[in-house]
Amino acid sequence: MKKFKSSFSSGMLLSTCIVTVVLLYAIYVIALRIPVSSVGSWQFWMAVTALCIIIAAMFHGFVSQIEYVGLTENSLVIQKKVGKITLPFSDIRQVRYKKSLMRDIRLWGISGYFGHIGLFRSGDSGNYKAFVKNGNEMVEIKTDNQTYVVSCDDCGQLLEVLSRHCGNRTGR
């Protein structure tokens, strides 16, 4: 399998580090308040709920981030920390370079913490699932049922290899 690693841009790495420090501090502050709240009070349950939400968001961001885009003999693999998405070449209708996410709308997901992860919408692509760590190196992959936007360290080479597998359905 040919692998195209997905690395953080420096801005995304900085953003992820800052958000992690803020969330860890929030966990610390909340954890200090739980013992002084009487068990069963609304303050206790609000603190526990906030703690669960913060930990779940951190966990989701970490496990959903993209690791690499892989190419096998007959499919493209979007490998996340936990899980993968496999797209047979026969299902891919179009592959092209994506310039920016700046004007796209996040419908559900995370931006700025472990990347741009989730469901987004753009005027020219419609709804798509994003797995992006570097907004400067993105590829849009359209199938009959879904559109994906992924980032990898050398999206130009990925597009070149995909053009051999998918014919003239690629573009930059």
Side-chain angles (χ1 to χ4, degrees):
M1 175 188 300
K2 172 91 170 141
K3 293 181 183 179
F4 295 87
K5 186 176 178 349
S6 184
S7 299
F8 286 106
S9 66
S10 56
M12 188 60 69
L13 182 60
L14 178 62
S15 172
T16 299
C17 290
I18 290 171
V19 171
T20 299
V21 168
V22 169
L23 291 176
L24 288 174
Y25 181 72
I27 290 171
Y28 171 73
V29 169
I30 293 169
L32 287 178
R33 292 183 183 259
I34 289 177
V36 297
S37 301
S38 59
V39 176
S41 69
W42 69 271
Q43 292 98 344
F44 173 81
W45 289 113
M46 289 299 288
V48 169
T49 302
L51 200 59
C52 290
I53 290 170
I54 292 169
I55 292 170
M58 292 176 75
F59 180 76
H60 178 266
F62 179 76
V63 301
S64 298
Q65 68 180 303
I66 186 171
E67 285 289 299
Y68 62 84
V69 177
L71 298 174
T72 66
E73 283 190 32
N74 56 4
S75 64
L76 180 140
V77 177
I78 302 168
Q79 181 66 52
K80 302 180 290 179
K81 281 275 190 197
V82 175
K84 65 182 175 182
I85 299 168
T86 303
L87 305 172
F89 290 136
S90 60
D91 290 353
I92 297 174
R93 299 295 163 238
Q94 183 183 30
V95 179
R96 65 181 181 151
Y97 176 76
K98 182 155 178 75
K99 291 181 183 177
S100 175
L101 295 174
M102 294 303 289
R103 295 187 179 188
D104 297 357
I105 299 167
R106 182 181 61 246
L107 301 174
W108 181 258
I110 301 172
S111 284
Y113 189 57
F114 292 111
H116 303 283
I117 304 165
L119 184 61
F120 289 72
R121 177 182 306 177
S122 74
D124 59 335
S125 302
N127 290 354
Y128 63 88
K129 290 183 180 178
F131 302 97
V132 175
K133 285 183 176 177
N134 184 346
N136 298 321
E137 295 284 335
M138 296 182 294
V139 175
E140 181 180 291
I141 304 158
K142 288 188 179 195
T143 67
D144 287 333
N145 302 323
Q146 183 69 54
T147 301
Y148 300 89
V149 174
V150 299
S151 66
C152 61
D153 292 350
D154 191 357
C155 69
Q157 185 183 6
L158 175 63
L159 284 169
E160 183 181 309
V161 172
L162 284 173
S163 68
R164 292 195 296 264
H165 291 287
C166 299
N168 61 358
R169 295 173 286 185
T170 62
R172 185 147 173 108

